[in-house]
Amino acid sequence: AARLYRLAADQGEDYSQYWLAYFCECGNGGVNRDMAEAVRWYRAAAEQGNTRAIAQLGVLREMGRGVARSEEMAAASYAAASALGAEELFAACDATPRELSAVGSGALQLQLVIRDLALAGRLAYPGAVEKLAAISSRREFAFACCMGCGAT
C-alpha cells in the first residue's frame, strides 16, 4: 500500500502525502518508522491545506515528536485546522452511534476514525471526546491502536 501512496505523494496528492506520513510515523504499511520523513510528508500535505495533516502537526508539536516541542506552535496548528473547517475530522463526531458501530473492523479504517476523533477533541469539537469513549469500548479499538500509533 505504501508504494502506491508514495507514487501519488510524489505527484503532490495531499491525501497520499498524509497517509505516507502516517505510515512513516507509525511504521505501518511496510514502511520503517521515520519521524523526520513523517514530518516532511505531513508538512507537504499541510501546505496544500490538508486539515488532518495540519492537526497532526499540532499533535507532534505538542508532544515534541519529530519536531521541537512547542505548545504555541501546536495551538497555532489546531487553530489553522479549525479555521479550515476540518470537516473530515468532525464527520466522525457527528456520526450517530449506529454509524460508528458500522465502521468496518479493518484496522486502518478504524485507526482513521480513532485518530479523527482524537484530533477533533484537541480542536474542542463538541462530542468528540464522548464519541471516542464510545468507540473505545469496541474490541477492535485495542487492535487498531496496537496496529498503528494509537489515537494521538
Side-chain angles (χ1 to χ4, degrees), residues 4 17 19 32 39 49-51 69 74 77 84 90 92 103 107 114 118 135 142:
L4 296 175
Q17 290 169 339
W19 277 106
N32 291 326
V39 169
N50 184 297
T51 53
R69 189 175 188 282
S77 291
L84 288 172
F90 302 149
V103 170
I114 292 165
I135 201 170

Side-chain angles (χ1 to χ4, degrees), residues 29-109:
V31 174
N32 291 326
R33 186 171 182 183
D34 183 339
M35 286 305 296
E37 189 74 356
V39 169
R40 182 173 83 82
W41 285 114
Y42 280 134
R43 284 184 175 147
E47 287 172 5
Q48 297 184 71
N50 184 297
T51 53
R52 282 188 177 112
I54 295 167
Q56 188 59 25
L57 281 170
V59 172
L60 297 180
R61 289 173 174 140
E62 183 178 343
M63 300 173 82
R65 292 183 55 207
V67 294
R69 189 175 188 282
S70 170
E71 290 186 19
E72 295 81 20
M73 293 291 291
S77 291
Y78 298 146
S82 289
L84 288 172
E87 287 85 8
E88 67 268 13
L89 298 178
F90 302 149
C93 299
D94 295 334
T96 65
R98 172 173 271 170
E99 289 168 331
L100 281 177
S101 69
V103 170
S105 61
L108 194 58
Q109 184 180 10

